[in-house]
Amino acid sequence: MASLETGRESGTSNQSDHKNPSDICGLVDLDTCEIPLYVCEFVEKEIGNDFKSLKNVSNLIETIKEEKKHLEEQVLTVSSEAPKRIQAALKNAEDSKTSLDLLLQKEIVVTESISVHLEEAAPWMDDLGVLINQMEEVERYLSYLKWISQIEELSDNIQQHLMTNDVAEAASTLPEWYLTQVLMWIGNHTKFLQERIQPILTKSGSSVNAHLEFTRGLVMLVLEKLAVDIPLLLYDDILFCHLVDEVLLFQRELYTSHGYPSNLPNCMHILSEETCFQRWLTVERKLALEKMDSMLSAEAAWTSQYKDISDVDEMKVPDSAETFMTLLLVITDRYRNLPTASRKLKFLELQKDLVDDFRIRLTQVMKEESRDPLGFRYCAILNAVNYIATVLGDWADNVFFLQLQQAALEICTDLNASSKLQLGQLASMEISVFDDLINLLERLKNDMLSRQVEHVFKEVKEAARMYKKERWLSLPSQSEQAVMSLSSTACPMLLALRDRLLQMEQQLCHALFKTVWQMLAEKLDLFIYQDIILANHFNEGGAAQLQFDMSRNLFPLFSHYCKRPENYFKHVKEACIILNLNVGPALLLKDVLQTASESMNACSSNDKLPSSTAALNELGIYKLAPQDVEILFNLRTNWPNAGK
């Protein structure tokens, strides 16, 4: 306080000697003073230039003392509590370690106990395994004995009916026994009929075939039996379908093993009767639709079962499409031997309806996947559409379907059901029975391909934005560069193109990929020609750089797919020829084009005038018209003064 008072007095008496009387810190030299700067600032803040406020210094000192005391108490509290917390933490750690040691000891004991138990139980397990195997074997025997018991029961019933000469009742006991029995009778009597009976008939001058007549008689019995059984099973889908399967197998065995002619009465006549045939059609349609639902919802619906075998999987056919075409092929085999063409055509219409239904389902799935036209499922659908269209095209040339086409022509002619044009096309084989479906599938395929090409083209076009803005007018000439290199602005475009081509090549079959890259090349050719070349001016270096980018980088991307990729970029290739033509030949060609243009305007017919087309052809220009070449000449900036 005494020093502050002294300072106050000296400050009052020598106020005029300081530069800033209002600054308390100005009373001392801050460079040599031992008082910290923050203390000076605190005094300045609390007292300032009002010396009357010095009377509050005592209060200020008291306040600071209290704060100091409070801080010291806090420090003491923390100093006393920290060791307690550390001790508690150490104790917890020691307790945890002790518990862990106990658990480890228990684990060792339990492990040893388990090992001992397993060793002791091993013989029991072996014995139990033997007992289980014996039980399973006994169960198999019991199941086998049950079937034998049922067979014996049926056999006893049949034998009782046969003993009373009730053959019909015996046959009704077992809607498959009589089919198998008839085939056995035919096979067992073949040798007897051919070696014993046929010579007698031949010797007597008879033209009767003993084996054939015997077979025909048994078949007539089968037809009578089927005529009774079919109405009873007509509305039980499972039994009716099973009956049809057995009849078809019986009929095939007659044809293949016993040489039964198809023009004689057979089981197919029974299946062709109106009521039975309509029910057969209905059941076939129902079961086919159920199988289609199953194959499209299967986990492997869109993967190829031959995906790991490149030689077999060249069409990359998804499992659903291959299963569907197999289904159609099975249906064809089932109705192939129907006796009348009209019945076969009904089944053909069923097959066409199934194909159209499958096409619609593929279209629905395609629309769900259209957000990603390069995705795995979208490409699989495209492969499926292509495969179905290809197979139908092959079937159209099959003799069986050509016969159906001829039958359809005759029916349409009798009923006047088609136009003269359609009848003429059917008669001349210009169209097939599957043409309508093939056209719809081709339309779907082309639409999907266009979406893919447009998707890739947009991506490549977006990546080419900076390439379009390249400074073609001011690039250094080729002689000014040690080595020509790809334009940096072309890298994003070419990388995007390369990646997408590789992706589509891996996911599409060869025929589809060939169509895709050719469509894409055509769009890129026009894009580069119209949006890059015609939209810019080129000096000698710019023209050389463009040609290097195209011929040494863009075209080689497609060299994996064809020998002369530049032929798919004719606009770009020929534009590069014109832009890089030496000045002398360029001036001569320009004069030729100008002369030809003037002669055309004057309607001159002088044959001695040079042909502009011939001049262009000599330079390898076939796509661009003379007017296009003149436009390209106007984009060049490396003309001499005399040529301007």
Side-chain angles (χ1 to χ4, degrees):
M1 288 296 291
S3 61
L4 286 175
E5 291 293 338
T6 305
R8 182 176 61 179
E9 292 174 356
S10 62
T12 305
S13 60
N14 299 325
Q15 187 173 2
S16 60
D17 295 336
H18 296 282
K19 294 180 180 179
N20 188 359
S22 64
D23 190 356
I24 291 296
C25 293
L27 297 176
V28 296
D29 187 353
L30 297 177
D31 294 331
T32 59
C33 182
E34 296 181 356
I35 300 175
L37 178 61
Y38 68 89
V39 175
C40 294
E41 291 177 349
F42 177 75
V43 173
E44 173 67 21
K45 178 181 177 183
E46 297 294 332
I47 298 175
N49 57 1
D50 185 6
F51 294 104
K52 295 181 179 181
S53 62
L54 289 174
K55 62 182 180 181
N56 297 326
V57 170
S58 59
N59 295 333
L60 184 60
I61 292 174
E62 292 298 327
T63 301
I64 293 174
K65 285 182 178 180
E66 291 179 0
E67 291 181 357
K68 179 183 177 184
K69 182 179 180 182
H70 180 67
L71 290 173
E72 289 176 347
E73 290 176 352
Q74 286 185 339
V75 170
L76 290 174
T77 301
V78 171
S79 301
S80 61
E81 289 182 355
K84 294 180 180 179
R85 293 181 180 178
I86 294 173
Q87 291 176 358
L90 289 173
K91 188 175 184 307
N92 290 336
E94 291 176 354
D95 293 343
S96 299
K97 183 176 181 301
T98 303
S99 300
L100 181 60
D101 291 339
L102 291 174
L103 287 175
L104 289 173
Q105 292 176 0
K106 289 182 179 179
E107 188 267 341
I108 293 173
V109 173
V110 171
T111 302
E112 293 178 352
S113 176
I114 291 174
S115 300
V116 172
H117 179 73
L118 289 176
E119 291 177 359
E120 294 176 351
W124 299 350
M125 292 296 295
D126 294 338
D127 296 340
L128 187 60
V130 173
L131 291 175
I132 291 174
N133 291 334
Q134 292 176 350
M135 291 175 62
E136 291 177 349
E137 188 174 4
V138 170
E139 288 179 352
R140 287 195 297 270
Y141 290 156
L142 286 174
S143 177
Y144 181 71
L145 290 173
K146 287 180 181 178
W147 283 109
I148 291 178
S149 176
Q150 292 182 11
I151 293 171
E152 288 179 346
E153 182 179 353
L154 291 173
S155 178
D156 291 341
N157 291 335
I158 294 172
Q159 188 173 4
Q160 290 177 4
H161 291 302
L162 290 176
M163 290 176 64
T164 59
N165 292 327
D166 192 354
V167 178
E169 188 64 26
S172 65
T173 304
L174 186 59
E176 299 172 16
W177 173 83
Y178 60 86
L179 296 177
T180 304
Q181 186 62 46
V182 165
L183 291 175
M184 290 178 60
W185 283 338
I186 294 173
N188 293 337
H189 290 79
T190 297
K191 184 177 181 180
F192 170 76
L193 292 169
Q194 291 177 345
E195 295 181 358
R196 301 294 182 183
I197 304 300
Q198 189 61 46
I200 297 174
L201 294 173
T202 303
K203 186 176 181 179
S204 64
S206 173
S207 60
V208 174
N209 186 318
H211 179 265
L212 180 60
E213 287 300 315
F214 179 75
T215 303
R216 187 169 68 90
L218 291 177
V219 169
M220 294 302 296
L221 291 176
V222 170
L223 295 182
E224 293 178 6
K225 175 62 176 171
L226 287 175
V228 175
D229 290 346
I230 287 178
L232 302 177
L233 306 176
L234 206 57
Y235 298 102
D236 188 322
D237 290 349
I238 296 177
L239 291 179
F240 179 77
C241 188
H242 182 67
L243 174 65
V244 172
D245 290 340
E246 292 298 324
V247 170
L248 292 176
L249 289 174
F250 172 78
Q251 193 67 31
R252 182 179 301 173
E253 188 71 14
L254 280 180
Y255 289 149
T256 58
S257 299
H258 303 292
Y260 190 74
S262 59
N263 59 339
L264 293 180
N266 57 68
C267 298
M268 302 306 289
H269 290 84
I270 293 291
L271 296 181
S272 297
E273 291 182 358
E274 184 65 23
T275 303
C276 180
F277 181 76
Q278 292 300 329
R279 185 60 183 165
W280 184 15
L281 268 181
T282 302
V283 172
E284 286 285 351
R285 183 186 300 273
K286 177 183 177 182
L287 295 178
L289 291 175
E290 290 176 354
K291 290 178 181 177
M292 285 167 58
D293 291 335
S294 176
M295 66 182 69
L296 286 174
S297 60
E299 185 176 353
W302 307 112
T303 58
S304 172
Q305 58 180 322
Y306 310 111
K307 61 181 179 180
D308 298 326
I309 310 175
S310 58
D311 294 340
V312 179
D313 194 36
E314 63 178 21
M315 292 196 73
K316 294 182 170 60
V317 185
D319 190 62
S320 57
E322 187 167 15
T323 305
F324 174 70
M325 295 310 291
T326 302
L327 172 64
L328 292 184
L329 190 61
V330 170
I331 292 176
T332 302
D333 290 338
R334 289 164 71 84
Y335 77 84
R336 183 186 295 273
N337 293 318
L338 283 171
T340 62
S342 60
R343 295 305 192 194
K344 295 178 183 178
L345 288 173
K346 290 289 186 182
F347 264 98
L348 177 62
E349 289 300 317
L350 168 62
Q351 288 178 302
K352 293 170 67 174
D353 290 343
L354 293 176
V355 172
D356 197 46
D357 187 274
F358 196 75
R359 177 190 65 83
I360 293 173
R361 296 178 187 223
L362 290 179
T363 304
Q364 292 171 345
V365 181
M366 179 272 292
K367 290 180 178 178
E368 296 174 0
E369 302 294 327
S370 59
R371 293 182 179 178
D372 185 14
L374 302 182
F376 168 74
R377 182 172 291 190
Y378 189 95
C379 292
I381 296 170
L382 186 51
N383 288 328
V385 172
N386 178 70
Y387 173 71
I388 295 172
T390 302
V391 174
L392 291 180
D394 294 339
W395 286 2
D397 297 328
N398 184 278
V399 174
F400 175 71
F401 290 107
L402 289 175
Q403 292 172 345
L404 289 185
Q405 181 174 341
Q406 183 63 31
L409 172 64
E410 295 173 358
I411 293 175
C412 291
T413 303
D414 295 338
L415 300 177
N416 293 323
S418 300
S419 65
K420 292 183 178 180
L421 176 61
Q422 289 176 319
L423 292 175
Q425 290 175 331
L426 282 171
S428 62
M429 299 296 176
E430 293 180 8
I431 62 175
S432 70
V433 291
F434 296 113
D435 265 15
D436 292 342
L437 292 171
I438 293 175
N439 291 336
L440 290 173
L441 290 167
E442 287 293 330
R443 187 183 305 171
L444 176 59
K445 180 182 76 173
N446 293 332
D447 177 61
M448 295 181 71
L449 287 173
S450 298
R451 292 191 185 194
Q452 283 191 324
V453 172
E454 191 61 31
H455 180 82
V456 176
F457 177 68
K458 285 183 178 180
E459 184 176 346
V460 175
K461 187 176 179 181
E462 180 67 21
R465 283 190 305 169
M466 297 305 298
Y467 192 61
K468 291 170 61 177
K469 300 176 182 179
E470 185 65 75
R471 298 169 60 243
W472 305 105
L473 193 59
S474 58
L475 292 178
S477 64
Q478 189 171 0
S479 60
E480 296 174 356
Q481 303 182 60
V483 179
M484 291 285 290
S485 61
L486 174 66
S487 300
S488 60
T489 54
C491 291
M493 173 183 73
L494 296 178
L495 285 174
L497 180 60
R498 182 202 65 182
D499 293 343
R500 292 299 173 240
L501 286 173
L502 180 61
Q503 182 180 0
M504 291 188 293
E505 184 183 18
Q506 292 174 342
Q507 297 190 147
L508 295 177
C509 70
H510 176 72
L512 289 177
F513 177 68
K514 181 179 180 181
T515 303
V516 164
W517 75 253
Q518 289 179 355
M519 292 171 63
L520 184 59
E522 181 180 356
K523 290 182 74 69
L524 286 174
D525 180 41
L526 289 176
F527 165 69
I528 295 173
Y529 177 69
Q530 295 174 352
D531 289 28
I532 296 180
I533 296 178
L534 295 183
N536 289 281
H537 286 77
F538 298 83
N539 65 355
E540 181 182 351
Q545 184 64 55
L546 176 69
Q547 187 174 36
F548 182 85
D549 293 343
M550 298 296 104
S551 61
R552 300 291 296 275
N553 294 278
L554 175 63
F555 299 165
L557 282 180
F558 293 85
S559 62
H560 300 286
Y561 319 125
C562 64
K563 294 182 179 179
R564 302 290 298 274
E566 63 273 12
N567 289 338
Y568 293 91
F569 295 87
K570 292 183 178 179
H571 288 91
V572 174
K573 181 187 73 171
E574 295 180 4
C576 288
I577 293 175
I578 297 300
L579 292 175
N580 286 275
L581 198 62
N582 291 333
V583 175
L587 288 172
L588 290 175
L589 179 59
K590 193 173 184 182
D591 290 340
V592 170
L593 296 178
Q594 187 174 0
T595 303
S597 178
E598 291 174 354
S599 66
M600 290 180 62
N601 293 334
C603 298
S604 173
S605 59
N606 191 348
D607 295 337
K608 295 182 180 181
L609 292 175
S611 170
S612 59
T613 303
L616 292 174
N617 291 346
E618 288 180 2
L619 295 173
I621 309 299
Y622 298 94
K623 185 72 174 179
L624 298 179
Q627 297 84 350
D628 299 325
V629 175
E630 291 179 356
I631 293 173
L632 290 170
F633 275 147
N634 292 331
L635 300 179
R636 293 178 53 147
T637 61
N638 59 334
W639 296 109
N641 292 333
K644 290 184 179 180

